[in-house]
Amino acid sequence: MPATKDQTQPQLLFVDGSFEELAAEMADYLKAEDAKQLLEKDPKKDEVLAKLVAAASALNSVPEKEFTAASNLMIHLVMQSADPKKYLPSLCSVLAKPLANSPVNGPALSLNALTTVFNLLEPSSPIRARVFMEILKFLKAHTMFDALRPYLDKMAAWMEEWDISEEMQQQIYEEVADVALESGEETQAYEFILRALRTLDADDQEELTSEDAQRLSLRALKMALLSPTHYLFQDLRAIPSVQALSDSHPIYAQLLDIFAEQDLEDYNDFNEEHEGWIDQQKLDHDRLHRKMRLLTFASLAAATPSRELEYTRIAKALQIPSEEVERWAIDVIRAGLVEGKLSQQRGMFLVHKVTYRVFSQTQYRELANRVDHWRSTLQNVLTVLRQEQANAKAQRERELQEIERKLNGVGMGGERNQDRRRAHQQREPREPREPRERNDNDD
């Protein structure tokens, strides 16, 4: 795929020889007799190139092992022109056709040749955008989105560097979306359709209501509605060209509002009011109905301050039998709209976390009510904790006083006993000692 370029242009092809010599070699290889005759008459370079490019379709039938060398030589010759853009569209069309005799490696060889053309152009050249479009068409035709994936983040910088028109940017982004969609990458496709819409001038009402802008807006809306993974619509409603659908396609705008912030009952009313319209627009009623139930479940969970949803409330809101509530609860969790767990014994769904579909005044009020509820709960908990702390402190003080009292009692009792022993010893008479006999050593 395209290489990122610095200020200096790298040498990507190694070709030796004058233009005349290389052109003659190419004319022989392609059997381009008109070009060979011109070369014998000292012709102008562009005249020879025109003949060679006209004969370049022969590259689609050369042996596989010769294709890269032959295509590189043809690319080199075209790049010698003072105005390569005259020949590059035709050459790219030729290179985009894989080798007829190489069903396995042909697409990769063709992509490599197209990439070589892209990388040989100056980084700021607007011609790069045209070549890139050819690469995108090739990738779409061969479902090769993975080859494009590493370069998606560079595209915005490339287009700014090329300084191309908004219209061209829209075309490129939409082509990328087509490549992604062809490979089953619906999320990526939707993202690039939105990028295309965001290139429109929000202050230019004429541009926002143009046929292309409205076509892209409807395409984005349909993709969002039918996507099995897309449940939030605020990003889409914020785009000016989508907002303009309220005038050009009011029914679509009404449907978008329902999926953005209303519930299943509103969707059913819409179907009754516009009977048959969903089928006429090929929007798949079953898929939309299922998504609307999941969104209704999410809204119900978000609007419940206690975070405890009775099975009966869920069944009523989703218009389903009570025995199906648990299945829908599992589905809404898998969709990433709600986190929680089922309490079969209590017949409750316990909400842990919920995704808000829209954050309007209603949601702000709900959040304020929930914050008040949490504040009241926390205050009650804090009061209980403080009371328990006070009780624990009083208990410790009582225990310390009791220990001190006991210690004081032991100390006073010990001193009295010692006094009694000393008094008893003073009153008790001593036994008389027997006289010792004198001997000669006594003086």
Side-chain angles (χ1 to χ4, degrees), residues 398-413:
R398 287 193 296 270
E399 290 174 354
L400 288 173
Q401 291 173 358
E402 180 65 20
I403 292 171
E404 185 178 355
R405 186 185 65 77
K406 290 180 178 179
L407 289 175
N408 290 335
V410 170
M412 293 174 63

PDB file of all heavy atoms in Angstrom, residues 398-413:
ATOM      1  N   ARG A 398     -15.820   3.179  78.720  1.00  0.00           N
ATOM      2  CA  ARG A 398     -16.329   2.398  79.840  1.00  0.00           C
ATOM      3  C   ARG A 398     -15.394   1.248  80.191  1.00  0.00           C
ATOM      4  O   ARG A 398     -15.122   0.964  81.362  1.00  0.00           O
ATOM      5  CB  ARG A 398     -17.740   1.866  79.524  1.00  0.00           C
ATOM      6  CG  ARG A 398     -18.823   2.936  79.556  1.00  0.00           C
ATOM      7  CD  ARG A 398     -20.205   2.316  79.562  1.00  0.00           C
ATOM      8  NE  ARG A 398     -20.475   1.571  78.340  1.00  0.00           N
ATOM      9  CZ  ARG A 398     -21.021   2.103  77.260  1.00  0.00           C
ATOM     10  NH1 ARG A 398     -21.347   3.402  77.237  1.00  0.00           N
ATOM     11  NH2 ARG A 398     -21.254   1.360  76.207  1.00  0.00           N
ATOM     12  N   GLU A 399     -14.881   0.592  79.158  1.00  0.00           N
ATOM     13  CA  GLU A 399     -13.959  -0.521  79.393  1.00  0.00           C
ATOM     14  C   GLU A 399     -12.673  -0.040  80.053  1.00  0.00           C
ATOM     15  O   GLU A 399     -12.141  -0.693  80.974  1.00  0.00           O
ATOM     16  CB  GLU A 399     -13.661  -1.225  78.081  1.00  0.00           C
ATOM     17  CG  GLU A 399     -14.846  -1.994  77.517  1.00  0.00           C
ATOM     18  CD  GLU A 399     -14.568  -2.561  76.138  1.00  0.00           C
ATOM     19  OE1 GLU A 399     -13.481  -2.247  75.577  1.00  0.00           O
ATOM     20  OE2 GLU A 399     -15.415  -3.312  75.618  1.00  0.00           O
ATOM     21  N   LEU A 400     -12.142   1.117  79.619  1.00  0.00           N
ATOM     22  CA  LEU A 400     -10.919   1.655  80.215  1.00  0.00           C
ATOM     23  C   LEU A 400     -11.137   2.038  81.675  1.00  0.00           C
ATOM     24  O   LEU A 400     -10.274   1.806  82.552  1.00  0.00           O
ATOM     25  CB  LEU A 400     -10.442   2.875  79.416  1.00  0.00           C
ATOM     26  CG  LEU A 400      -9.850   2.582  78.035  1.00  0.00           C
ATOM     27  CD1 LEU A 400      -9.582   3.886  77.279  1.00  0.00           C
ATOM     28  CD2 LEU A 400      -8.558   1.789  78.177  1.00  0.00           C
ATOM     29  N   GLN A 401     -12.283   2.633  81.954  1.00  0.00           N
ATOM     30  CA  GLN A 401     -12.598   3.007  83.334  1.00  0.00           C
ATOM     31  C   GLN A 401     -12.696   1.781  84.231  1.00  0.00           C
ATOM     32  O   GLN A 401     -12.226   1.783  85.383  1.00  0.00           O
ATOM     33  CB  GLN A 401     -13.908   3.804  83.376  1.00  0.00           C
ATOM     34  CG  GLN A 401     -13.809   5.189  82.761  1.00  0.00           C
ATOM     35  CD  GLN A 401     -15.159   5.879  82.664  1.00  0.00           C
ATOM     36  OE1 GLN A 401     -16.191   5.300  83.031  1.00  0.00           O
ATOM     37  NE2 GLN A 401     -15.142   7.110  82.180  1.00  0.00           N
ATOM     38  N   GLU A 402     -13.287   0.716  83.720  1.00  0.00           N
ATOM     39  CA  GLU A 402     -13.419  -0.511  84.499  1.00  0.00           C
ATOM     40  C   GLU A 402     -12.059  -1.130  84.781  1.00  0.00           C
ATOM     41  O   GLU A 402     -11.772  -1.583  85.899  1.00  0.00           O
ATOM     42  CB  GLU A 402     -14.310  -1.501  83.730  1.00  0.00           C
ATOM     43  CG  GLU A 402     -14.532  -2.824  84.432  1.00  0.00           C
ATOM     44  CD  GLU A 402     -15.304  -2.650  85.733  1.00  0.00           C
ATOM     45  OE1 GLU A 402     -15.973  -1.602  85.898  1.00  0.00           O
ATOM     46  OE2 GLU A 402     -15.239  -3.546  86.589  1.00  0.00           O
ATOM     47  N   ILE A 403     -11.195  -1.124  83.762  1.00  0.00           N
ATOM     48  CA  ILE A 403      -9.845  -1.667  83.955  1.00  0.00           C
ATOM     49  C   ILE A 403      -9.079  -0.835  84.979  1.00  0.00           C
ATOM     50  O   ILE A 403      -8.408  -1.370  85.882  1.00  0.00           O
ATOM     51  CB  ILE A 403      -9.093  -1.704  82.611  1.00  0.00           C
ATOM     52  CG1 ILE A 403      -9.735  -2.744  81.686  1.00  0.00           C
ATOM     53  CG2 ILE A 403      -7.624  -2.007  82.807  1.00  0.00           C
ATOM     54  CD1 ILE A 403      -9.209  -2.710  80.268  1.00  0.00           C
ATOM     55  N   GLU A 404      -9.186   0.481  84.887  1.00  0.00           N
ATOM     56  CA  GLU A 404      -8.491   1.365  85.830  1.00  0.00           C
ATOM     57  C   GLU A 404      -9.009   1.150  87.254  1.00  0.00           C
ATOM     58  O   GLU A 404      -8.234   1.136  88.223  1.00  0.00           O
ATOM     59  CB  GLU A 404      -8.687   2.816  85.401  1.00  0.00           C
ATOM     60  CG  GLU A 404      -7.900   3.793  86.242  1.00  0.00           C
ATOM     61  CD  GLU A 404      -8.068   5.216  85.760  1.00  0.00           C
ATOM     62  OE1 GLU A 404      -8.726   5.419  84.703  1.00  0.00           O
ATOM     63  OE2 GLU A 404      -7.541   6.137  86.422  1.00  0.00           O
ATOM     64  N   ARG A 405     -10.311   0.987  87.383  1.00  0.00           N
ATOM     65  CA  ARG A 405     -10.879   0.752  88.709  1.00  0.00           C
ATOM     66  C   ARG A 405     -10.347  -0.525  89.324  1.00  0.00           C
ATOM     67  O   ARG A 405      -9.989  -0.568  90.522  1.00  0.00           O
ATOM     68  CB  ARG A 405     -12.412   0.692  88.617  1.00  0.00           C
ATOM     69  CG  ARG A 405     -13.126   0.589  89.964  1.00  0.00           C
ATOM     70  CD  ARG A 405     -14.604   0.418  89.767  1.00  0.00           C
ATOM     71  NE  ARG A 405     -14.905  -0.851  89.109  1.00  0.00           N
ATOM     72  CZ  ARG A 405     -14.885  -2.025  89.743  1.00  0.00           C
ATOM     73  NH1 ARG A 405     -14.574  -2.098  91.031  1.00  0.00           N
ATOM     74  NH2 ARG A 405     -15.173  -3.130  89.095  1.00  0.00           N
ATOM     75  N   LYS A 406     -10.282  -1.574  88.514  1.00  0.00           N
ATOM     76  CA  LYS A 406      -9.786  -2.843  89.020  1.00  0.00           C
ATOM     77  C   LYS A 406      -8.318  -2.747  89.421  1.00  0.00           C
ATOM     78  O   LYS A 406      -7.891  -3.290  90.444  1.00  0.00           O
ATOM     79  CB  LYS A 406      -9.983  -3.935  87.980  1.00  0.00           C
ATOM     80  CG  LYS A 406     -11.448  -4.308  87.778  1.00  0.00           C
ATOM     81  CD  LYS A 406     -11.578  -5.393  86.731  1.00  0.00           C
ATOM     82  CE  LYS A 406     -13.039  -5.804  86.564  1.00  0.00           C
ATOM     83  NZ  LYS A 406     -13.184  -6.840  85.517  1.00  0.00           N
ATOM     84  N   LEU A 407      -7.528  -2.058  88.591  1.00  0.00           N
ATOM     85  CA  LEU A 407      -6.105  -1.906  88.904  1.00  0.00           C
ATOM     86  C   LEU A 407      -5.910  -1.117  90.194  1.00  0.00           C
ATOM     87  O   LEU A 407      -5.052  -1.436  91.026  1.00  0.00           O
ATOM     88  CB  LEU A 407      -5.385  -1.217  87.752  1.00  0.00           C
ATOM     89  CG  LEU A 407      -5.211  -2.055  86.481  1.00  0.00           C
ATOM     90  CD1 LEU A 407      -4.597  -1.213  85.367  1.00  0.00           C
ATOM     91  CD2 LEU A 407      -4.320  -3.257  86.765  1.00  0.00           C
ATOM     92  N   ASN A 408      -6.676  -0.081  90.400  1.00  0.00           N
ATOM     93  CA  ASN A 408      -6.588   0.711  91.629  1.00  0.00           C
ATOM     94  C   ASN A 408      -6.961  -0.125  92.840  1.00  0.00           C
ATOM     95  O   ASN A 408      -6.353  -0.019  93.920  1.00  0.00           O
ATOM     96  CB  ASN A 408      -7.474   1.935  91.552  1.00  0.00           C
ATOM     97  CG  ASN A 408      -6.948   2.957  90.559  1.00  0.00           C
ATOM     98  OD1 ASN A 408      -5.743   2.972  90.287  1.00  0.00           O
ATOM     99  ND2 ASN A 408      -7.826   3.809  90.037  1.00  0.00           N
ATOM    100  N   GLY A 409      -7.972  -0.976  92.696  1.00  0.00           N
ATOM    101  CA  GLY A 409      -8.385  -1.831  93.791  1.00  0.00           C
ATOM    102  C   GLY A 409      -7.301  -2.805  94.185  1.00  0.00           C
ATOM    103  O   GLY A 409      -7.030  -3.038  95.363  1.00  0.00           O
ATOM    104  N   VAL A 410      -6.620  -3.397  93.260  1.00  0.00           N
ATOM    105  CA  VAL A 410      -5.535  -4.337  93.535  1.00  0.00           C
ATOM    106  C   VAL A 410      -4.399  -3.633  94.246  1.00  0.00           C
ATOM    107  O   VAL A 410      -3.804  -4.110  95.219  1.00  0.00           O
ATOM    108  CB  VAL A 410      -5.051  -4.993  92.232  1.00  0.00           C
ATOM    109  CG1 VAL A 410      -3.778  -5.775  92.471  1.00  0.00           C
ATOM    110  CG2 VAL A 410      -6.129  -5.899  91.692  1.00  0.00           C
ATOM    111  N   GLY A 411      -4.055  -2.431  93.823  1.00  0.00           N
ATOM    112  CA  GLY A 411      -2.938  -1.678  94.439  1.00  0.00           C
ATOM    113  C   GLY A 411      -3.228  -1.339  95.900  1.00  0.00           C
ATOM    114  O   GLY A 411      -2.394  -1.525  96.783  1.00  0.00           O
ATOM    115  N   MET A 412      -4.392  -0.863  96.256  1.00  0.00           N
ATOM    116  CA  MET A 412      -4.746  -0.478  97.618  1.00  0.00           C
ATOM    117  C   MET A 412      -4.790  -1.696  98.511  1.00  0.00           C
ATOM    118  O   MET A 412      -4.308  -1.677  99.657  1.00  0.00           O
ATOM    119  CB  MET A 412      -6.102   0.231  97.631  1.00  0.00           C
ATOM    120  CG  MET A 412      -6.084   1.594  96.928  1.00  0.00           C
ATOM    121  SD  MET A 412      -7.715   2.307  96.802  1.00  0.00           S
ATOM    122  CE  MET A 412      -8.102   2.499  98.525  1.00  0.00           C
ATOM    123  N   GLY A 413      -5.261  -2.792  98.100  1.00  0.00           N
ATOM    124  CA  GLY A 413      -5.308  -4.018  98.891  1.00  0.00           C
ATOM    125  C   GLY A 413      -3.926  -4.529  99.205  1.00  0.00           C
ATOM    126  O   GLY A 413      -3.629  -5.004 100.288  1.00  0.00           O
TER     127      GLY A 413
END
